[in-house]
Amino acid sequence: MEPGSGSGPGRWGPVSCVLTGASRGFGLSLARLLAPRFGEGSVLLLLARSAAALAELAAELRGSAAGLRVECVAADLGCEQGLRQATAALREVLPAGPPGRLLVVNNAGSLGDVSKSFLDLTDPDEINSYFAFNVTSALCLTSIALQAFGKRPGSSRTVVNISSLCALKPFKSWALYCSGKASRDMMFQVLALEEPDIRVLNYAPGPLDTDMQLLARTKTGDPEMRQHFQSLQESRKLIDCTVSAQKLVNLLEEDTFPSGAHVDFYDI
């Protein structure tokens, strides 16, 4: 976004926005913060697996911004059919969206089976399925969104990858999650290098108070790691999704990050 674009209703002007993993947790909080900032004629494309949760959110958001078109795609991005359904929606909605701005937020992601150690991960179907959802879909959706929106004179394009400390640091029992997050960070760094006119941000939202954290503290195979996540919750160090989403919105409004940068919640 442009410096000084403000944070009042509609202050971002017309925006075409794609948000994955929109039905709960961080994605839900982010959708609620973004929608009122979009100007009249904006389009918001929400993707998640739960059709009911998406429909409920869409109804709520349509009332939060004047002339905002909200479209929903309920699909499993980890399977070919779901990804085809999502990419078809991008190709249909984005070319007809307003000029001005494109914002793509890759938020959808999963933890994988954290009860398993590295040596337990022997099933190629399980591993390929994990990467299909967490890496392949993010790459395909982003490239297709950028193609569908196209290069428009005077328009800006921003791509956000919801990252993690796990993209930079290994955690026991989390081989899939750490490698998936590292892969996504590097993938988007390459995009930033290839396309200098696209703003790219890898944003690590911190340890969020979500269902994923519940899985982390109850299912993680390594006892030391499991205890670490339990203590985060017990000492109230988990971050409210809205607090972290607000920091991301501020980053986008200030628009001073180096393209391709990894920015952590605690860095700001």
Side-chain angles (χ1 to χ4, degrees), residues 128-148:
N128 289 336
S129 172
Y130 183 84
F131 284 103
F133 176 48
N134 288 279
V135 179
T136 306
S137 74
L139 175 54
C140 290
L141 285 175
T142 303
S143 55
I144 286 167
L146 290 166
Q147 284 179 15

Side-chain angles (χ1 to χ4, degrees), residues 213-251:
Q213 270 296 322
L214 176 62
L215 280 176
R217 63 181 179 266
T218 57
K219 302 295 184 188
T220 297
D222 182 75
E224 194 183 342
M225 278 291 295
R226 196 166 60 246
Q227 180 54 47
H228 166 71
F229 290 114
Q230 286 168 2
S231 67
L232 278 179
Q233 195 233 358
E234 286 161 8
S235 58
R236 304 195 173 194
K237 288 183 178 166
L238 294 179
I239 299 160
D240 182 86
C241 287
T242 303
V243 172
S244 185
Q246 184 61 61
K247 278 201 178 182
L248 173 56
V249 169
N250 295 346
L251 276 171

Side-chain angles (χ1 to χ4, degrees), residues 46-57:
L46 303 170
L47 294 95
R49 277 175 287 198
S50 170
L54 279 180
E56 192 178 322
L57 176 60

Side-chain angles (χ1 to χ4, degrees), residues 246-268:
Q246 184 61 61
K247 278 201 178 182
L248 173 56
V249 169
N250 295 346
L251 276 171
L252 294 174
E253 286 182 340
E254 289 158 10
D255 199 33
T256 54
F257 56 86
S259 191
H262 176 103
V263 180
D264 192 279
F265 174 87
Y266 293 111
D267 295 339
I268 307 160

Side-chain angles (χ1 to χ4, degrees), residues 53-183:
L54 279 180
E56 192 178 322
L57 176 60
E60 175 193 329
L61 296 182
R62 287 185 187 112
S64 71
L68 174 64
R69 177 185 170 196
V70 183
E71 298 287 342
C72 299
V73 180
D76 179 356
L77 299 178
C79 69
E80 274 186 52
Q81 184 186 352
L83 192 52
R84 276 199 299 269
Q85 192 183 340
T87 55
L90 293 177
R91 289 192 171 112
E92 180 192 340
V93 170
L94 290 179
R101 290 173 178 162
L102 172 68
L103 174 61
V104 180
V105 183
N106 291 283
N107 170 62
S110 64
L111 200 51
D113 187 350
V114 290
S115 70
K116 294 180 176 178
S117 69
F118 187 104
L119 297 183
D120 296 324
L121 293 166
T122 56
D123 179 0
D125 288 339
E126 177 187 3
I127 297 162
N128 289 336
S129 172
Y130 183 84
F131 284 103
F133 176 48
N134 288 279
V135 179
T136 306
S137 74
L139 175 54
C140 290
L141 285 175
T142 303
S143 55
I144 286 167
L146 290 166
Q147 284 179 15
F149 186 81
K151 286 190 177 183
R152 306 185 190 185
S155 288
S156 67
R157 294 175 293 167
T158 301
V159 173
V160 178
N161 168 43
I162 301 306
S163 184
S164 169
L165 175 61
C166 296
L168 310 178
K169 182 182 173 183
F171 285 78
K172 289 178 185 175
S173 298
W174 286 31
L176 290 178
Y177 189 77
C178 288
S179 52
K181 287 298 187 184
S183 174

